[in-house]
Amino acid sequence: MKAKSMNDLLRTLPAVDALLNSDGGVQLVAQFGHDLARDALRAALDDIRARIRAGDVVAVDDETVLSRAHEQLQGDLQPTLRPVINATGVIIHTNLGRAPLSDDALEAMRAVGGQYNTLEFDLTSGKRGSRLLHASAALQAITGAEAALVVNNNASALVLLLSALAQGRECVISRGQLVEIGGGFRVPDVMAQSGVQLVEVGTTNRTRAADYEQAVGEATALLMRAHASNFKVVGFTEQASLADMADIAHRHGIHLVDDLGSGALLDTATFGLDHEPTVQESLAAGADLVAFSGDKLLGGPQAGILVGKRALIDQLKRHPLARAVRADKLALAALMATLNHYRKGEALEKIPVWQMIARPLDDIRHTAESWAQQVGGTTVAGESTVGGGSLPGATLPTVLLALDVAHADDFAAKLRGCEAAIITRIADGRVLLDPRTVLPRQEPILLQHLHDVLQNHLDC
Ligand SMILES: *Cc1c(COP(=O)(O)O)cnc(C)c1O
């Protein structure tokens, strides 16, 4: 480009103030605020100027500058935490936020979060109440425990219980249960962090009751069982029963704690899965404290739940760490609503993770076939998994929509780039979508995006 025409072009660029006062500029300010709008317009103009100087052919009209600024601001303000469509078939997907909440749980969060509430207020006396009361009655009613305590998550529940009950003393655990749960959270490290001396017994594959018995001494405070939530030892294996462990602990005047991890309240075997140990079973077998998550198989919000002997729960409540790991009001609201589904016997109908586990295969097949009809692709038999540190290796039969595309990785990336990001799996060069984990209300937008990408070759 000749110098003269380049300078002419640069001169025709609108000024920031003029743009801000134009109709489009006023709209931009209304949407994003004055300062962000001004900065984005400046940046768009700088960019256009640089490209003109580089000899590019660029449009310089108001519309172009305004729409660039708009696009930039929309991208900048897009929350990094946003909803996605989980078509992976992994029900409790740790990277995708674990359990989606029920409508009642969401409504409870909205009601409590948007208004003042009884978090620490007793309506009868008009005085200060305790946040530790919330959800306790429901947890006791469902599990039969004497007492319950809700904290921030299960990891903090473990740190609290170890610190409060075994600091400076010993905790005995099987070598087969020294697990890493994920994100570097390892049982031995948690013990060390809590000032507890770890005493390992047995071997990787076999730990007998006698191994625990022999390890108990003057300094022992606890026997602990940790659920091997994300791996499975098969073959020549043995693990002392919880009842035997409880018997040993109680004969020596110490306590048995059970880190159940997922914390099922219903029997997964009903749905053709392996039996995941339930909270009720652990208590019935004699565990003095059982710890589990709120957002795994329970299907509620992030929380760490401790149930068991009243004297021990009271001891935990009084420990200074209890304050540091306390549950927040939104989680408590959602947890109480979720627990009510269990009390009313409607968990399978109302709690998303249980709806997904219980969803009949014919229903899934019907959905997959209807997707194939609407957007193309074929249906194939496959497997869904429960995930979330429960039932390692266990699967549920499902029917998948399979898309034969030229470049599966690129195609999957395109789907992730959709406005409602779609997360899929890839196998044998095909992109697979499992209807089991797609929420009914997400189906229309999922199909719209698939249609756009497949039929119209659009980028989302
Ligand atoms: C998931 C899990 C935890 C950690 O629970 P969070 O709620 O994620 O903190 C601890 N122990 C076991 C056995 C688990 O499976």
Side-chain angles (χ1 to χ4, degrees):
M1 200 184 295
K2 295 208 185 81
K4 182 165 182 303
S5 63
M6 188 191 290
N7 283 333
D8 285 349
L9 209 50
L10 287 171
R11 259 196 298 279
T12 61
L13 274 176
V16 173
D17 281 339
L19 282 168
L20 281 170
N21 290 323
S22 70
D23 285 353
V26 170
Q27 265 178 36
L28 203 65
V29 170
Q31 199 176 345
F32 298 103
H34 176 272
D35 290 5
L36 283 184
R38 178 202 57 209
D39 293 351
L41 287 169
R42 266 189 199 147
L45 285 167
D46 285 349
D47 181 55
I48 291 172
R49 233 174 255 122
R51 290 178 47 188
I52 292 172
R53 290 206 176 98
D56 291 354
V57 180
V58 209
V60 296
D61 55 298
D62 290 14
E63 277 311 302
T64 306
V65 185
L66 283 163
S67 81
R68 278 198 188 205
H70 187 267
E71 212 169 282
Q72 176 69 38
L73 287 173
Q74 246 180 353
D76 287 355
L77 292 185
Q78 163 112 286
T80 53
L81 178 57
R82 59 194 182 104
V84 302
I85 297 175
N86 174 14
T88 64
V90 181
I91 296 174
I92 304 167
H93 198 305
T94 296
N95 302 140
L96 303 182
R98 291 193 180 161
L101 296 172
S102 75
D103 289 341
D104 284 9
L106 292 171
E107 185 43 49
M109 287 173 82
R110 199 181 157 74
V112 163
Q115 303 173 72
Y116 294 104
N117 52 68
T118 55
L119 182 62
E120 294 184 357
F121 189 78
D122 179 0
L123 287 173
T124 311
S125 67
K127 298 209 170 76
R128 189 187 170 151
S130 169
R131 84 165 61 211
L132 303 181
L133 284 178
H134 306 297
S136 291
L139 284 164
Q140 286 161 232
I142 294 166
T143 65
E146 283 177 17
L149 172 62
V150 181
V151 295
N152 183 59
N153 61 354
N154 192 27
S156 61
L158 297 174
V159 172
L160 174 61
L161 89 79
L162 287 167
S163 305
L165 304 179
Q167 200 152 63
R169 300 177 65 195
E170 292 175 358
C171 177
V172 181
I173 186 167
S174 160
R175 288 201 168 84
Q177 295 170 5
L178 294 173
V179 299
E180 171 170 328
I181 286 123
F185 186 85
R186 296 171 161 188
V187 169
D189 298 342
V190 176
M191 295 232 189
Q193 192 62 43
S194 310
V196 176
Q197 180 73 43
L198 168 73
V199 177
E200 306 172 20
V201 295
T203 60
T204 308
N205 56 332
R206 288 171 77 94
T207 304
R208 303 182 187 83
D211 296 324
Y212 290 100
E213 183 87 53
Q214 280 159 22
V216 176
E218 282 290 294
T220 313
L222 297 175
L223 296 193
M224 180 165 171
R225 179 178 82 162
H227 183 39
S229 39
N230 47 15
F231 71 101
K232 203 170 178 170
V233 181
V234 293
F236 187 54
T237 64
E238 177 179 353
Q239 173 58 44
S241 74
L242 209 55
D244 285 348
M245 291 176 69
D247 179 54
I248 295 165
H250 299 154
R251 271 194 285 106
H252 289 89
I254 59 174
H255 305 295
L256 171 64
V257 297
D258 189 16
D259 172 16
L260 259 191
S262 199
L265 295 174
L266 300 175
D267 186 1
T268 48
T270 318
F271 307 98
L273 289 162
D274 292 349
H275 176 70
E276 172 79 8
T278 66
V279 179
Q280 297 91 320
E281 284 163 6
S282 292
L283 290 167
D288 299 296
L289 275 184
V290 182
F292 53 101
S293 296
D295 53 353
K296 292 182 178 173
L297 272 175
L298 193 137
Q302 178 186 304
I305 301 170
L306 290 146
V307 295
K309 295 273 157 59
R310 177 167 301 281
L312 298 180
I313 294 283
D314 284 346
Q315 213 174 321
L316 302 192
K317 285 181 181 174
R318 287 192 302 267
H319 193 275
L321 264 182
R323 167 62 195 253
V325 299
R326 72 184 188 181
D328 103 294
K329 63 190 176 190
L330 297 180
L332 287 169
L335 180 62
M336 283 187 279
T338 307
L339 292 171
N340 275 349
H341 292 313
Y342 289 94
R343 296 179 83 182
K344 293 197 274 181
E346 60 182 27
L348 297 182
E349 291 83 41
K350 297 287 180 71
I351 298 177
V353 299
W354 284 98
Q355 286 177 299
M356 292 173 191
I357 289 172
R359 191 163 166 193
L361 184 58
D362 279 343
D363 187 30
I364 297 174
R365 177 179 298 112
H366 184 259
T367 302
E369 282 168 357
S370 132
W371 290 1
Q373 244 164 30
Q374 293 175 70
V375 301
T378 52
T379 60
V380 294
E383 287 168 338
S384 318
T385 57
V386 176
S390 54
L391 301 164
T395 58
L396 289 161
T398 193
V399 180
L400 306 161
L401 174 69
L403 303 173
D404 255 312
V405 290
H407 303 285
D409 284 330
D410 293 347
F411 190 84
K414 235 182 202 185
L415 292 179
R416 289 198 305 277
C418 288
E419 194 181 314
I422 302 163
I423 319 297
T424 57
R425 22 176 180 142
I426 296 173
D428 304 325
R430 290 191 299 188
V431 174
L432 304 173
L433 291 93
D434 190 337
R436 191 190 291 277
T437 50
V438 174
L439 301 169
R441 67 169 173 276
Q442 296 178 317
E443 263 189 62
I445 185 77
L446 171 81
L447 291 172
Q448 181 64 51
H449 283 328
L450 284 176
H451 184 267
D452 286 348
V453 176
L454 280 166
Q455 311 298 324
N456 305 333
H457 304 284
L458 290 179
D459 276 342
C460 255

